[in-house]
């Protein structure tokens, strides 16, 4: 298992802040590779809020005593004093990012960005931008540079803006049928991203014109189907580079590329560095 987390002033205990509209208390990530199970159960919840992003795999959550399996491409919100019960399983290769936050205006802020009081699961799609924001918050909490508390609020607010914009796109005049079709496509892509997928064939097999499917998928997910698949593959490649000893050729094959050179070029275009350089930077950061 790979884990990386950071806490404000190394405060492991949760707390409620009444002085600031929004305050970030901690952030972190878990990547399950070999560990069979990682359970969390807080019967009385916490004093703060928690927002989790499922980047790959899936997680098992319980809301009001009922299990809900939440796949990658979703965020889960817990509010203060809510029972928190969820499980990650190694067989799912779950990758999760989380942040705890508090403040005297959080409820109004969540409403402002379109997150209703009763909502627990928010469909966001997968994006490297989400991961970058969580990693930036972890780094700020670790380094404690000048004005880092304001920087944390900035990063978290940007995350809320991204969520809000996506929800607005999805709700703008979309039919139930369309939403269901896009949900099905997202689930299919997550289950088969490492296989050869023809967007044209998928659309035709589901009774949709190719142009209609691409246009509406982009409105729904913020990316075209091809871009979404690329994001999934690169995101999972990053996880493998971080948490396994597989070489670049093996990782390319695992995420669906039979040409490692082509994979490396795509990875560098998306991440700014080659897969090998990405792994070196991770190791240097851990030293």
């Amino acid at each position: 298992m790979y884990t990386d987390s950071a806490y404000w002033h190394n405060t492991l205990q949760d707390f409620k802040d009444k002085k600031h509209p929004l305050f970030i208390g901690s952030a972190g990530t878990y990547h399950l590779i070999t560990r069979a199970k990682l359970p969390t159960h807080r019967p009385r919840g916490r004093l703060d809020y928690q927002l989790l992003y499922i980047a790959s795999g899936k997680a098992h959550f319980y809301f009001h005593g009922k299990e809900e399996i939440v796949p990658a491409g979703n965020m889960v919100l817990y509010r203060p004093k809510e029972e928190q019960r969820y499980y990650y399983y190694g067989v799912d290769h779950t990758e999760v990012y989380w942040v705890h936050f508090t403040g005297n205006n959080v409820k109004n802020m969540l409403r402002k960005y379109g997150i209703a009081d009763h909502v627990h699961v928010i469909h966001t799609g997968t994006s490297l931008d989400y991961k970058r924001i969580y990693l930036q918050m972890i780094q700020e909490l670790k380094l404690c540079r000048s004005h880092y508390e304001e920087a944390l609020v900035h990063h978290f607010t940007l995350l809320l803006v991204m969520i809000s914009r996506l929800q607005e796109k999805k709700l703008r005049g979309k039919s139930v049928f369309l939403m269901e079709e896009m949900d099905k496509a997202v689930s299919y892509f997550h289950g088969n991203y490492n296989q050869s997928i023809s967007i044209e064939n998928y659309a035709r097999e589901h009774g949709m014109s190719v142009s209609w499917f691409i246009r509406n998928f982009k409105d729904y997910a913020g990316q075209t189907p091809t871009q979404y698949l690329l994001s999934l593959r690169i995101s999972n490649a990053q996880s493998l580079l971080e948490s396994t000893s597989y070489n670049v050729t093996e990782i390319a094959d695992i995420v669906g590329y039979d040409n490692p050179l082509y994979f490396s070029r795509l990875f560098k275009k998306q991440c700014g560095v080659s897969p090998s350089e990405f792994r070196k930077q991770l190791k240097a950061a851990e030293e």
Side-chain angles (χ1 to χ4, degrees):
M1 184 179 81
Y2 172 83
T3 181
D4 190 16
S5 58
Y7 300 81
W8 180 72
H9 287 191
N10 292 319
T11 305
L12 300 182
Q13 186 66 36
D14 61 316
F15 59 92
K16 182 176 182 179
D17 180 274
K18 297 181 180 180
K19 297 180 180 179
H20 305 87
L22 174 65
F23 194 88
I24 309 303
S26 58
T29 179
Y30 293 115
H31 305 186
L32 264 69
I33 303 297
T34 57
R35 185 165 177 172
K37 181 180 180 181
L38 181 62
T40 296
H41 189 202
R42 303 181 180 109
R44 298 183 179 179
R46 290 175 54 104
L47 297 177
D48 54 12
Y49 291 77
Q50 183 180 25
L51 184 65
L52 304 101
Y53 167 52
I54 317 302
S56 61
K58 57 187 175 183
H60 297 247
F61 290 87
Y62 286 80
F63 305 114
H64 308 296
K66 295 182 178 179
E67 182 184 29
E68 183 170 346
I69 299 175
V70 180
N74 289 279
M75 294 190 187
V76 173
L77 176 66
Y78 279 111
R79 294 165 179 81
K81 298 183 180 180
E82 277 189 321
E83 179 185 14
Q84 297 185 8
R85 182 184 172 198
Y86 49 91
Y87 300 87
Y88 310 141
Y89 294 94
V91 68
D92 298 322
H93 300 295
T94 306
E95 178 186 5
V96 175
Y97 293 79
W98 52 267
V99 58
H100 289 287
F101 56 102
T102 181
N104 60 33
N105 196 41
V106 172
K107 184 179 291 187
N108 289 330
M109 183 171 287
L110 292 174
R111 290 170 177 169
K112 173 184 175 181
Y113 291 106
I115 302 174
D117 293 349
H118 65 282
V119 168
H120 282 109
V121 180
I122 308 162
H123 178 74
T124 58
T126 58
S127 172
L128 294 175
D129 289 333
Y130 299 141
K131 293 174 66 170
R132 290 191 188 104
I133 291 174
Y134 276 93
L135 291 172
Q136 285 169 335
M137 289 191 286
I138 295 170
Q139 185 180 57
E140 288 290 349
L141 283 163
K142 283 183 175 181
L143 298 179
C144 298
R145 296 173 294 192
S146 60
H147 309 297
Y148 77 98
E149 292 169 348
E150 293 93 329
L152 285 163
V153 170
H154 166 78
H155 292 313
F156 184 77
T157 303
L158 177 59
L159 186 64
L160 293 180
V161 168
M162 292 175 65
I163 294 171
S164 177
R165 287 177 175 175
L166 182 59
Q167 302 309 309
E168 287 174 4
K169 279 186 177 181
K170 289 163 58 178
L171 294 172
R172 197 176 297 141
K174 303 304 181 185
S175 69
V176 173
F177 167 77
L178 186 150
M179 298 295 286
E180 289 178 348
E181 287 300 322
M182 297 306 110
D183 281 340
K184 289 177 185 176
V186 166
S187 296
Y188 179 81
F189 291 161
H190 277 274
N192 301 275
Y193 75 89
N194 58 347
Q195 307 296 318
S196 177
I197 296 177
S198 167
I199 303 304
E200 291 77 11
N201 288 343
Y202 179 88
R204 294 191 184 102
E205 288 171 1
H206 289 79
M208 300 176 280
S209 75
V210 177
S211 60
W212 184 91
F213 174 58
I214 293 174
R215 181 176 67 254
N216 284 282
F217 187 93
K218 186 175 182 180
D219 284 345
Y220 176 86
Q223 298 173 300
T224 67
T226 299
Q227 290 168 338
Y228 194 87
L229 281 168
L230 174 61
S231 178
L232 272 176
R233 289 164 178 159
I234 297 301
S235 176
N236 280 281
Q238 284 184 323
S239 298
L240 291 168
L241 287 164
E242 292 173 5
S243 54
T244 74
S245 59
Y246 293 133
N247 61 41
V248 173
T249 298
E250 291 171 322
I251 290 174
D253 182 64
I254 290 170
V255 300
Y257 296 102
D258 56 10
N259 186 330
L261 293 178
Y262 177 65
F263 161 70
S264 294
R265 285 197 296 270
L266 284 176
F267 189 97
K268 186 171 184 178
K269 186 176 181 180
Q270 292 294 308
C271 304
V273 294
S274 69
S276 298
E277 290 168 338
F278 181 82
R279 177 171 271 167
K280 286 179 182 177
Q281 290 179 359
L282 288 172
K283 289 181 178 179
E286 292 174 357
E287 293 176 354

